[in-house]
Each structure stands twice: as C-alpha cells, then as structure tokens.
Amino acid sequence: MKFMQTESVNNQAVRRALGANIADPFFAEGLFDALPDVVFFVKDIEGRYVVVNQTLVQRCGQRHKSALIGRTPAEVFAHPFGQTYLAQDMQVLAGDSDIEDQLELHLYPNRDPGWCLTRKTALRDAHGRIVGLTGISRDLAMADKKNPAYRKVAAAVQVIHEQYGQPLQLPELARIANMSVAQIERYFLRIFHLTPRQMIIQTRVDAASRLLNGAASVAEIAQACGYGDHSAFTRQFKATTGLTPSQYRQLSARRSGD
C-alpha cells in the first residue's frame, strides 16, 4: 500500500512537471482537428468559445474558426438550440455537475439529424475555482456486428424497436438476450456504444420525431412512445433534442415548407 501511494505521488509530480513545461495548454486542438466524427471545444467562464476544432466549425456552417471564437452557442446556433446549449454550459460552469455521455440529437447545417454523445467538464484553476469548461460530442459509431455476442444482443434490440411504446425493463431485456444484467449492459456498450437505457431513449425520440410530423397531439405521441406522463416525455425530448415537442413540430413544418 505504501509503495502504491509513493508511486502515485511520483506520477503526479511527473504530470505537474510536464504540464509546467508545455508552452501551449491547448495542444490538443490540432489532434481534434483530425477527427471528423468528434466535436471539441473549450469555453471561458461566460460560455464563450476559446478553442474549437474544425469539425465544429464545419457543422456550424462556417469556414473559419474565427467565426466562433469569442461567441456563445446562443450566438452561433439557431434558436432555440443555442439557448439550450448555453443553459447546459451555465449549469456546468455553476458547478452543478459535469455532463457525461448525454445522448443528443443534433441538426446539422444540411438539416439532417444525427445522434451523438456529449461530455462537458468544468475547468478549474490551482485553487479549485471554475474558470471555464471543455467538452466533446462524439457521433454514434456503427454497430460492431462482428462481435460474437451481436446476435444475442440484437434480439433485445429488436424488442426495443418493436415495443418502445411499452414499459421496457432491463432484466427482461437481459433474459431475452440470455445474459445477466451486467453482461447485457457491457455488450450494449461494446457493440452499439450505448447503454440499453440510451437506446430506448433514442428509439422513442426517433419515433416521436416522426409522429410529430403528423396530426397526433403531443399527449397522444407521449403515450404512443411509452411515456405515461406527458411532462416526463417533454423533459426527455427537450434534453435530447434541445427542443420541446411543440418547438420541434414547428421547426419540422418550416423545413417542409422550404
């Protein structure tokens, strides 16, 4: 135990020494520029972009990073997406909590939707005070169909896709896949890069998005997508898309009219 503690102290000393010798604290920017499926950013205490990678610039419909630097998401993204992202930033900057693998549906400049997982974490100075935040959004990768457990897990996925309007319990999904709860969670992450709960949310939001193009009421759509509580559906939909169901319906109608 004493050896491990000493080793940990030595490792921290090495980290601090290396950090003190790095001239550019934003050295990772160039590395993230090379990742077309990852958005990377650093923001100051006001939520303004300080560092962005080229992927974020392109997805904002811009050509140069200077179009984003010094601006908040509310000044970069269309309403109400930008306001939602900025409110999310303010929660992190206030020290409420970091964001870990938040499943989100983004609309890209060509208006095609795309799923990603977002992480945001506060940046602190030597005294522990929050001075900004950094984050990434990773596009969901394709399923790993070569994994030997794919066919077993796919049976549970089929149930999610066919019965998303019904209550779906993890133990039942595990039974369908002939796995333990721990096993099915592990293989979902390995194969689909999502937890079972995240896939349920994704499937329900996808279905709700399609139904919002029709005449059904928001309450009817909530019920059809497995939400007995209308307000719970609205909260989940907004947390995932940045829009309330009614706002999404209005945006969809404008897109159809273009």
Side-chain angles (χ1 to χ4, degrees), residues 39-44 46-53 56 60 65 67-77 82 85-86 89 120 133:
V39 161
F40 168 72
F41 50 83
V42 178
K43 300 177 185 178
D44 65 14
E46 301 296 331
R48 296 172 296 210
Y49 289 105
V50 176
V51 178
V52 297
N53 73 334
L56 177 56
C60 289
K65 293 181 179 182
L68 276 64
I69 302 301
R71 304 172 70 188
T72 69
E75 298 170 304
V76 171
F77 293 93
Y85 302 151
L86 181 58
D89 292 342
K120 294 182 180 180
L133 67 84

Side-chain angles (χ1 to χ4, degrees), residues 170-191:
L170 187 54
E172 177 60 17
L173 294 175
R175 185 195 65 77
I176 292 169
N178 194 28
M179 295 179 176
S180 68
V181 169
Q183 284 176 322
I184 196 172
E185 288 186 318
R186 183 166 64 250
Y187 281 114
F188 254 77
L189 282 172
R190 288 181 182 176
I191 297 171

Side-chain angles (χ1 to χ4, degrees), residues 1-16:
M1 178 66 72
K2 186 175 181 179
F3 170 78
M4 293 178 62
Q5 291 175 340
T6 301
E7 185 178 32
S8 177
V9 171
N10 290 338
N11 289 341
Q12 290 300 318
V14 170
R15 285 168 59 93
R16 287 194 296 269

Side-chain angles (χ1 to χ4, degrees), residues 18-178:
L18 177 59
N21 287 322
I22 294 176
D24 182 6
F26 302 129
F27 63 89
E29 179 182 353
L31 299 176
F32 281 104
D33 279 338
L35 301 177
D37 60 342
V38 177
V39 161
F40 168 72
F41 50 83
V42 178
K43 300 177 185 178
D44 65 14
I45 194 64
E46 301 296 331
R48 296 172 296 210
Y49 289 105
V50 176
V51 178
V52 297
N53 73 334
Q54 196 58 38
T55 302
L56 177 56
V57 174
Q58 293 170 350
R59 293 190 181 181
C60 289
Q62 303 294 333
R63 297 179 62 186
H64 305 291
K65 293 181 179 182
S66 58
L68 276 64
I69 302 301
R71 304 172 70 188
T72 69
E75 298 170 304
V76 171
F77 293 93
H79 177 82
F81 292 99
Q83 286 76 6
T84 298
Y85 302 151
L86 181 58
Q88 194 181 63
D89 292 342
M90 290 299 106
Q91 291 179 1
V92 175
L93 292 167
D96 292 346
S97 64
D98 289 347
I99 294 170
E100 297 185 3
D101 286 340
Q102 169 70 45
L103 181 67
E104 295 181 329
L105 180 65
H106 285 185
L107 292 179
Y108 299 120
N110 62 2
R111 295 187 174 183
D112 286 340
W115 287 97
C116 67
L117 292 172
T118 297
R119 280 180 170 245
K120 294 182 180 180
T121 185
L123 296 173
R124 300 177 183 270
D125 64 15
H127 303 287
R129 294 175 297 215
I130 294 176
V131 295
L133 67 84
T134 186
I136 60 171
S137 287
R138 296 177 290 115
D139 293 348
L140 282 183
M142 298 294 290
D144 179 12
K145 295 185 178 181
K146 295 182 180 179
N147 190 294
Y150 174 78
R151 296 188 65 177
K152 294 172 67 175
V153 175
V157 172
Q158 183 176 355
V159 170
I160 292 174
H161 287 169
E162 293 178 351
Q163 301 181 25
Y164 60 83
Q166 305 299 320
L168 294 170
Q169 303 298 326
L170 187 54
E172 177 60 17
L173 294 175
R175 185 195 65 77
I176 292 169
N178 194 28

